[in-house]
Amino acid sequence: MQSATEDDLLQTLQYGPFNVALHAAIRARGLSLEALRRRLEEQGIAVSLSTLSYWQRGRTRPERADSLRAVRALEVILGLPRHSLLTLLKPAAERPAGPWLPVEELCPEPGVRDLLDEIGERGERLLTGLSLHDQHVIGPRRQLREVRSRAVFQAQQRGVDRWIAVYHHPHGVLPSSRTARGCRFGRVRMDAASGLIAAELLFDRALGRGETYLLEYGFGFEETGPPVWEEGRGFRTPHHEFLMEVRFHPSALPARCYRTWRPDAQTALKDSADLRLSGYHSAHFIEFGVPAGFHGMRWEWD
């Protein structure tokens, strides 16, 4: 069972404000401001007692580069998820919004709910997403060849032992192979009519509260698949870090790439930034404090 203090901490880390979250973290860890000051000093970061007091009371906020460095160090010292305090320093319009989106708000295919109901979603809401890296590999015929994902989660309560991965091919093609590292596939359900797959990824043990877990998984596709021009990831809850990369075959390079976003399945996909193709034939973006919704990339071949 989590203590009331820990419950308060998890809540304030998600919604803020910054000073309340910092105060809750200091109280939950049982550290004095002097102890924090000394720990920071050991890392070569000078912050006065009065400054730490002002931060947790809301009288001032960290803004300068050296102050933000101190906040990053405080996240480590206090045992908090990476960027959890830094995210709360963003303007309200840029912070993660919404505690939890139904999967139907992210994927327009009607069969997705049936697949998840068959597997069950035990414990997924008890995991905080810390880091998620997606890599999409495009073949010489402009077709999707592989999707690889690397994720780090933190358990909000003890006993969590799995996560559900859902993937929908842009043109309704089912994967021909799948891989897993740091986990194993449990129940897998597919909808051939829509190209949906839901897969249960089983951890090697039940996690303790606050414990982090790293896993990797991927789906492979046949060379005969249709050309694709968009990919992405739907987040049902805010995420701390998301890195997306698309790697193109040298003989199938796009003319332009764009970062895309939409808050739900009913909203049209919007371009939010131009992306540059590297000399190694890949485009990417990385974002911290990712709000719930669909985050992705599209490209134009001509």
Side-chain angles (χ1 to χ4, degrees):
M1 287 290 292
Q2 292 176 302
S3 67
T5 300
E6 192 69 18
D7 285 336
D8 292 342
L9 175 57
L10 292 172
Q11 183 79 5
T12 55
L13 283 176
Q14 186 169 3
Y15 300 109
F18 169 81
N19 65 296
V20 176
L22 177 61
H23 179 72
I26 294 172
R27 183 179 59 182
R29 304 304 182 239
L31 294 174
S32 66
L33 294 183
E34 175 59 28
L36 286 179
R37 187 197 65 77
R38 289 199 303 269
R39 295 280 295 275
L40 290 170
E41 189 176 50
E42 291 170 1
Q43 299 183 38
I45 302 173
V47 180
S48 68
L49 281 177
S50 60
T51 296
L52 289 173
S53 177
Y54 287 167
W55 287 355
Q56 73 165 349
R57 292 161 56 192
R59 294 188 60 181
T60 61
R61 286 164 56 91
E63 294 179 352
R64 300 192 310 272
D66 54 348
S67 296
L68 297 179
R69 181 182 172 220
V71 174
R72 286 193 290 270
L74 285 173
E75 290 174 347
V76 176
I77 294 169
L78 295 169
L80 304 178
R82 187 183 179 194
H83 301 295
S84 54
L85 290 177
L86 284 172
T87 297
L88 295 176
L89 291 171
K90 289 185 175 184
E94 299 179 16
R95 294 204 301 264
W100 185 269
L101 280 179
V103 68
E104 296 86 350
E105 291 292 317
L106 297 172
C107 181
E109 296 296 330
V112 65
R113 171 48 58 191
D114 293 336
L115 296 186
L116 289 177
D117 287 344
E118 287 185 37
I119 295 177
E121 298 181 79
R122 294 178 296 169
E124 187 175 356
R125 295 197 188 197
L126 303 180
L127 288 170
T128 296
L130 301 184
S131 177
L132 203 151
H133 296 183
D134 283 344
Q135 183 184 73
H136 305 258
V137 181
I138 307 300
R141 299 178 181 86
R142 302 181 176 180
Q143 82 281 23
L144 180 66
R145 291 303 317 277
E146 191 175 4
V147 179
R148 307 166 184 162
S149 298
R150 189 171 190 262
V152 180
F153 298 102
Q154 185 175 49
Q156 297 183 18
Q157 293 185 16
R158 61 182 301 181
V160 186
D161 63 356
R162 68 198 64 204
W163 184 65
I164 309 295
V166 177
Y167 181 75
H168 176 235
H169 189 282
H171 301 295
V173 177
L174 287 176
S176 57
S177 64
R178 56 180 185 260
T179 59
R181 295 182 61 186
C183 62
R184 61 183 176 87
F185 283 97
R187 291 167 293 179
V188 177
R189 300 291 184 268
M190 292 184 284
D191 184 343
S194 59
L196 275 169
I197 179 170
E200 184 180 47
L201 300 175
L202 303 175
F203 306 164
D204 64 353
R205 64 188 181 282
L207 304 183
R209 179 178 57 80
E211 187 176 359
T212 58
Y213 197 83
L214 168 67
L215 60 84
E216 299 177 30
Y217 68 96
F219 301 114
F221 298 87
E222 299 288 352
E223 293 185 10
T224 55
V228 296
W229 53 83
E230 62 179 343
E231 267 292 359
R233 163 80 64 168
F235 290 93
R236 302 176 66 182
T237 189
H239 216 84
H240 287 287
E241 176 198 52
F242 178 48
L243 168 64
M244 179 176 174
E245 177 195 12
V246 179
R247 296 183 62 184
F248 297 92
H249 192 275
S251 64
L253 299 180
R256 291 165 292 278
C257 296
Y258 305 94
R259 162 86 163 89
T260 59
W261 143 260
R262 67 170 180 245
D264 51 53
Q266 286 72 46
T267 304
L269 200 63
K270 295 181 179 179
D271 297 339
S272 60
D274 294 340
L275 298 177
R276 185 174 181 179
L277 193 68
S278 77
Y280 296 96
H281 318 309
S282 73
H284 81 279
F285 67 83
I286 186 168
E287 185 167 332
F288 304 104
V290 183
F294 183 87
H295 300 260
M297 193 185 303
R298 73 173 186 92
W299 49 95
E300 297 174 351
W301 292 114
D302 301 308

